[in-house]
């Protein structure tokens, strides 16, 4: 019996001959024939072959199709010379009506049945392990001399006819400082599943226990390692099980077919398409991926909205890349809650200012276009006003349909938890992300102040409590957008507010958000989020990561997203609607200021044009 010592350097043809003669004492092919492609194998009746091929094309991440044989052909000249699929895998599995009824060393006894069957050869992640090692990235399953860990997930694949199943993934522990290098090394090898589909907490994929893989062996993480997951060809095995065909064969997970093809047909990307990795949550730990080009566009948006009209000192509050991280987090969210409302005109009814609602509705419009759930929570006294404004926003075409309008009161000690979660259960949050834009924020003394130090607590419902409660709900992240430091979420920069903003020692908001977006005018922050979400949605690298490499790219919806972007026309119509309902400017002291030679409030149109110009470049 041959052992593994020299198998790394053996040529594929020699390895297949050794396997054919049943002379190996190993349980998997990880690390064998370094630099050559390995393949998952699915063999099924010819009547199912066309639908399975469509299933592969619809789920290219887990099922990159290398070759489809003709019925009864157990050779694959496109992948290898002198091969025989009946004998050239270490081990096979037999499936009858969806049940695994045996493990086999050879399929020769089924030669007659195989005459009416088609073999599919699918890319395998073992193929990129050498590329990882060449990039200085440890491959723990090779180090630990075991099979890779494989897990069933809660992510559904795109179904085709009888073929439907959830995604299966492989997991490799990767040092945190090697994540970006890992993504770069594997994204170029699309025939071997390409870039990871998830990095971080396995629970976000529906995986409960890394120590109990569904296939393969447990692979142990070293201190500082992050679990990184790739789409896996064993997804095809799950599809065969669910199809319940009378007879089918697959390789035994980890026991691949070794081809003669080298891993040199990588996808060459331009520098703009280079993937970047960003951490968007610590609890649960979660990373996201975006192209360098898209990231730079969003950073430019952040720079554009950061101008400081009137030199009020807000430039000292800006935190780099907060817009990017916030929007990446929102992009992954299923359901988003938005709040706005800053009363400043105490002698008028309503007392609202017109900074906040336009930006909030711009975000909501894009979230609707992205088919996310979205709701707005506001003060009880402002419910009727917001309902009327929302109805007109729908009539104007700003929103596709009305958004649920909610109010929050502290009726009990667990009121915030009951509002945010199903029956107060932290494991079942109703919202994944909370956004506050130009929303009065609670100061350290428990009061709420406008810029002139006037206490407006009597006009403000305690919506801050939702942001405070969210800190204790895993998986819920928050964003605060402001332009003066007294807005909800600005607690993250309260020290800078106290130092650089007039009256900051009194008015500074004490409530933090996970992400703090500072803009010259808060509405600009809302417009920037809408534009950034559009950029993310049209980024192919981010789109693939979002959908876990299953299904089809979402770019066919690009025109719907484009129509949801803010525009000068929408802004003008919305502001007129607010004026008609008595909502006034809250920054009267700034009316005579100029930005780029234009009166302050005329710069809204200019800002929108600049943001859209960056989006469309």
């Amino acid at each position: 019996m041959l052992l593994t010592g020299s198998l790394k350097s053996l040529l594929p043809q020699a390895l297949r001959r050794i396997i054919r003669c049943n002379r190996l004492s190993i349980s998997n092919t990880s690390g064998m024939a370094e630099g050559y492609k390995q393949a998952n194998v699915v063999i099924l009746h010819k009547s199912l072959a066309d639908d399975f091929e469509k299933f592969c094309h619809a789920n290219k991440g887990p099922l990159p199709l290398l070759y489809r044989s003709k019925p009864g052909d157990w050779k694959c000249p496109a992948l290898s010379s002198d091969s025989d699929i009946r004998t050239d895998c270490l081990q096979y599995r037999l499936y009858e009506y969806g049940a695994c009824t045996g493990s086999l060393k050879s399929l020769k006894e089924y030669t007659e049945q195989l005459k009416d069957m088609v073999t599919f050869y699918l890319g395998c992640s073992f193929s990129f392990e050498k590329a990882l090692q060449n990039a200085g990235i440890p491959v723990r399953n090779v180090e630990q001399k075991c099979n890779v860990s494989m897990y069933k997930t809660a992510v559904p694949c795109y179904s085709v006819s009888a073929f439907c199943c959830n995604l299966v993934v492989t997991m490799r522990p990767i040092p945190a400082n090697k994540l970006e290098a890992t993504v770069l090394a594997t994204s170029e090898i699309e025939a071997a599943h390409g870039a990871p589909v998830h990095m971080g907490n396995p629970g976000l994929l529906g995986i409960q226990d890394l120590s109990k893989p569904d296939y393969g062996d447990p692979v142990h993480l070293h201190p500082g390692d992050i679990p990184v997951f790739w789409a896996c060809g064993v997804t095809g095995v799950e599809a065969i099980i669910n199809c319940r065909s009378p007879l089918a064969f697959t390789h035994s997970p980890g026991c691949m077919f070794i081809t003669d093809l080298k891993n040199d047909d990588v996808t060459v990307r331009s520098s703009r398409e280079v993937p970047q990795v960003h951490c968007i949550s610590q609890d649960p730990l979660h990373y996201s991926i975006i192209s360098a080009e898209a990231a730079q566009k969003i950073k430019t948006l952040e720079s554009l909205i950061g101008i400081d009209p009137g030199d009020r000192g807000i430039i000292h509050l800006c935190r780099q890349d907060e817009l990017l991280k916030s929007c990446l987090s929102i992009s992954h969210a299923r359901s988003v809650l938005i709040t706005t409302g800053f009363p400043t005109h105490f002698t008028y009814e309503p007392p609202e200012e017109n900074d906040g609602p336009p930006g909030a509705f711009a975000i909501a419009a894009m979230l609707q276009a992205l088919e996310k759930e979205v709701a707005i929570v506001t003060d009880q006294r402002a419910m009727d006003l917001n309902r009327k404004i929302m109805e007109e926003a729908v009539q104007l075409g700003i929103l596709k349909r009305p958004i649920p309008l909610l109010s929050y009161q502290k009726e009990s000690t667990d009121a915030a938890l009951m509002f945010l979660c199903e029956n107060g259960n932290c494991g079942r949050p109703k919202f994944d992300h909370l956004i506050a834009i130009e929303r009065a924020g609670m100061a350290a003394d428990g009061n709420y102040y406008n810029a002139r130090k006037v206490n407006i607590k009597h006009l403000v419902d305690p919506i801050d409590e939702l942001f405070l409660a969210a800190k204790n709900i895993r998986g819920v992240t928050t964003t605060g957008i402001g332009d003066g430091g007294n807005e909800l979420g600005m607690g993250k920069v309260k020290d800078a507010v106290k130092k650089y903003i007039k009256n900051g020692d009194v008015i500074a908001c004490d409530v933090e958000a996970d992400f703090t977006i500072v803009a010259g005018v808060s509405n600009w922050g809302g417009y920037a989020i809408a534009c950034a979400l559009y950029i993310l949605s049209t980024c192919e690298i981010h789109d693939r990561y979002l959908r876990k490499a299953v299904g089809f790219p979402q770019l066919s919806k690009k025109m719907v997203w484009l129509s949801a972007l803010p525009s000068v026309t929408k802004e003008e119509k919305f502001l007129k609607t607010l004026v008609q309902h008595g909502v006034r400017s809250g920054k009267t002291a700034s009316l005579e200021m100029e930005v780029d030679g234009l009166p302050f409030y005329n710069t809204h149109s200019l800002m929108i044009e600049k943001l859209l110009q960056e989006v469309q470049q």
Side-chain angles (χ1 to χ4, degrees):
M1 301 287 282
L2 289 179
L3 300 177
T4 59
S6 61
L7 297 180
K8 291 182 179 182
S9 58
L10 280 181
L11 293 175
Q13 188 175 20
L15 276 170
R16 289 196 301 272
R17 288 176 181 170
I18 294 170
I19 291 171
R20 194 177 304 161
C21 296
N22 195 22
R23 294 176 58 204
L24 286 179
S25 61
I26 59 174
S27 61
N28 65 84
T29 57
S30 175
M32 294 172 62
E34 285 185 339
Y36 288 88
K37 291 180 180 177
Q38 299 192 32
N40 299 272
V41 175
V42 171
I43 306 174
L44 39 68
H45 193 267
K46 61 185 179 183
S47 62
L48 298 171
D50 287 347
D51 282 341
F52 188 75
E53 182 174 354
K54 292 176 183 176
F55 182 70
C56 293
H57 290 315
N59 300 283
K60 288 183 178 180
L63 304 171
L65 183 56
L66 302 180
Y67 183 74
R68 169 186 169 172
S69 78
K70 294 179 181 179
D73 186 0
W74 34 80
K75 298 184 181 299
C76 53
L79 303 181
S80 58
S81 61
D82 186 33
S83 67
D84 187 334
I85 197 56
R86 299 174 301 173
T87 59
D88 291 1
C89 289
L90 273 176
Q91 192 173 59
Y92 303 85
R93 284 189 175 180
L94 165 65
Y95 290 90
E96 296 176 284
Y97 296 99
C100 180
T101 56
S103 295
L104 308 166
K105 286 289 188 180
S106 169
L107 300 181
K108 277 198 169 182
E109 63 183 287
Y110 292 93
T111 295
E112 195 61 32
Q113 293 93 323
L114 287 170
K115 290 179 180 178
D116 287 324
M117 303 184 81
V118 173
T119 302
F120 288 84
Y121 300 81
L122 307 166
C124 170
S125 62
F126 286 171
S127 304
F128 63 56
E129 290 181 337
K130 182 60 176 176
L132 290 177
Q133 292 171 330
N134 288 343
I137 300 161
V139 181
R140 303 297 188 205
N141 53 292
V142 174
E143 291 177 351
Q144 296 169 27
K145 295 180 173 58
C146 64
N147 199 351
V148 72
S149 301
M150 291 163 267
Y151 304 88
K152 300 176 186 179
T153 73
V155 179
C157 290
Y158 186 93
S159 299
V160 175
S161 189
F163 295 105
C164 61
C165 66
N166 285 356
L167 175 69
V168 176
V169 293
T170 58
M171 187 282 293
R172 290 171 177 80
I174 302 293
N177 64 350
K178 299 284 187 179
L179 291 180
E180 199 153 278
T182 297
V183 173
L184 184 60
T186 57
S187 65
E188 299 176 341
I189 311 176
E190 294 182 354
H193 305 302
V197 296
H198 181 69
M199 294 176 287
N201 191 292
L204 297 175
L205 290 176
I207 300 169
Q208 301 305 317
D209 189 345
L210 285 181
S211 69
K212 298 177 181 178
D214 295 292
Y215 301 97
D217 301 319
V219 178
H220 304 292
L221 280 72
H222 289 200
D225 281 354
I226 305 296
V228 177
F229 302 85
W230 282 264
C232 176
V234 176
T235 302
V237 174
E238 291 294 305
I240 292 300
I241 291 172
N242 289 343
C243 178
R244 299 182 183 276
S245 62
L247 181 67
F249 304 96
T250 71
H251 68 293
S252 187
C255 300
M256 306 302 174
F257 175 82
I258 300 172
T259 78
D260 293 342
L261 302 182
K262 288 190 174 183
N263 285 315
D264 53 10
D265 57 341
V266 298
T267 302
V268 179
R269 301 185 184 276
S270 69
S271 59
R272 298 185 305 175
E273 294 176 308
V274 170
Q276 293 183 357
V277 175
H278 295 273
C279 183
I280 58 173
S281 172
Q282 289 290 342
D283 186 19
L285 185 62
H286 192 194
Y287 294 81
S288 191
I289 302 178
I290 184 177
S291 73
E293 179 183 28
Q296 184 55 54
K297 283 187 175 184
I298 294 174
K299 290 179 180 182
T300 300
L301 297 181
E302 185 176 62
S303 176
L304 286 172
I305 65 172
I307 63 173
D308 192 354
D311 194 24
R312 292 177 293 149
I314 65 164
I315 194 169
H316 300 289
L317 314 184
C318 295
R319 300 283 292 262
Q320 189 174 6
D321 294 341
E322 292 285 284
L323 176 64
L324 173 59
K325 293 176 183 178
S326 168
C327 290
L328 283 169
S329 178
I330 296 168
S331 180
H332 284 270
R334 170 192 53 83
S335 180
V336 179
L337 180 68
I338 303 172
T339 185
T340 189
F342 205 125
T344 57
H345 301 284
F346 332 109
T347 58
Y348 295 95
E349 180 59 38
E352 314 301 313
E353 73 160 296
N354 61 13
D355 190 19
F361 277 73
I363 297 170
M366 183 55 68
L367 292 173
Q368 278 191 337
L370 294 172
E371 301 177 1
K372 297 182 183 294
E373 297 177 21
V374 56
I376 290 178
V377 59
T378 189
D379 301 295
Q380 180 63 45
R381 60 169 181 75
M383 288 288 283
D384 288 342
L385 171 65
N386 279 279
R387 193 173 289 111
K388 292 174 183 177
I389 292 172
M390 188 178 303
E391 289 172 357
E392 296 194 29
V394 174
Q395 293 175 6
L396 293 171
I398 294 172
L399 295 176
K400 292 189 295 184
R401 58 188 176 278
I403 294 169
L405 190 60
L406 311 173
S407 66
Y408 170 75
Q409 301 293 324
K410 186 176 182 179
E411 298 172 344
S412 63
T413 55
D414 62 349
L417 201 60
M418 294 296 293
F419 184 95
L420 292 174
C421 303
E422 298 287 349
N423 300 317
N425 181 355
C426 287
R428 300 180 61 190
K430 299 176 186 176
F431 310 101
D432 306 308
H433 200 103
L434 278 56
I435 302 173
I437 174 170
E438 190 64 19
R439 170 72 194 177
M442 184 172 63
D445 63 2
N447 292 315
Y448 298 78
Y449 296 95
N450 69 8
R452 297 183 296 279
K453 295 196 297 186
V454 177
N455 189 351
I456 56 174
K457 184 175 182 178
H458 62 291
L459 294 171
V460 180
D461 289 348
I463 291 174
D464 305 64
E465 293 182 0
L466 302 180
F467 280 66
L468 292 170
K471 292 182 178 297
N472 298 315
I473 305 173
R474 296 184 78 243
V476 179
T477 46
T478 57
T479 292
I481 306 168
D483 58 15
N486 55 346
E487 300 90 358
L488 176 53
M490 294 291 112
K492 192 172 182 178
V493 294
K494 63 183 178 182
D495 291 339
V497 174
K498 293 175 181 178
K499 182 175 182 179
Y500 294 106
I501 301 297
K502 183 179 179 181
N503 301 322
D505 57 329
V506 174
I507 70 172
C509 176
D510 199 51
V511 181
E512 294 187 18
D514 294 307
F515 309 105
T516 299
I517 298 172
V518 179
V521 179
S522 292
N523 277 336
W524 297 353
Y527 303 148
I529 284 183
C531 291
L533 289 175
Y534 174 84
I535 291 170
L536 287 175
S537 300
T538 53
C539 171
E540 293 184 21
I541 289 173
H542 184 66
D543 168 72
R544 180 187 184 275
Y545 188 75
L546 270 184
R547 57 186 171 84
K548 306 294 184 284
V550 298
F552 297 100
Q554 300 294 298
L555 291 179
S556 60
K557 300 175 182 177
K558 185 174 180 178
M559 293 308 297
V560 175
W561 304 332
L562 194 63
S563 66
L565 284 169
S567 69
V568 172
T569 301
K570 290 180 184 178
E571 164 75 5
E572 291 175 348
K573 289 180 178 179
F574 198 89
L575 287 174
K576 286 179 181 178
T577 295
L578 294 176
V579 170
Q580 289 169 359
H581 289 285
V583 179
R584 298 166 178 81
S585 167
K587 297 179 175 63
T588 53
S590 302
L591 283 174
E592 302 304 318
M593 298 177 187
E594 291 191 352
V595 179
D596 290 350
L598 295 172
F600 177 66
Y601 270 94
N602 288 352
T603 61
H604 280 302
S605 297
L606 178 64
M607 178 58 67
I608 291 173
E609 289 174 353
K610 285 184 175 181
L611 294 173
L612 293 177
Q613 183 180 9
E614 185 61 32
V615 165
Q616 295 168 357
Q617 279 185 352

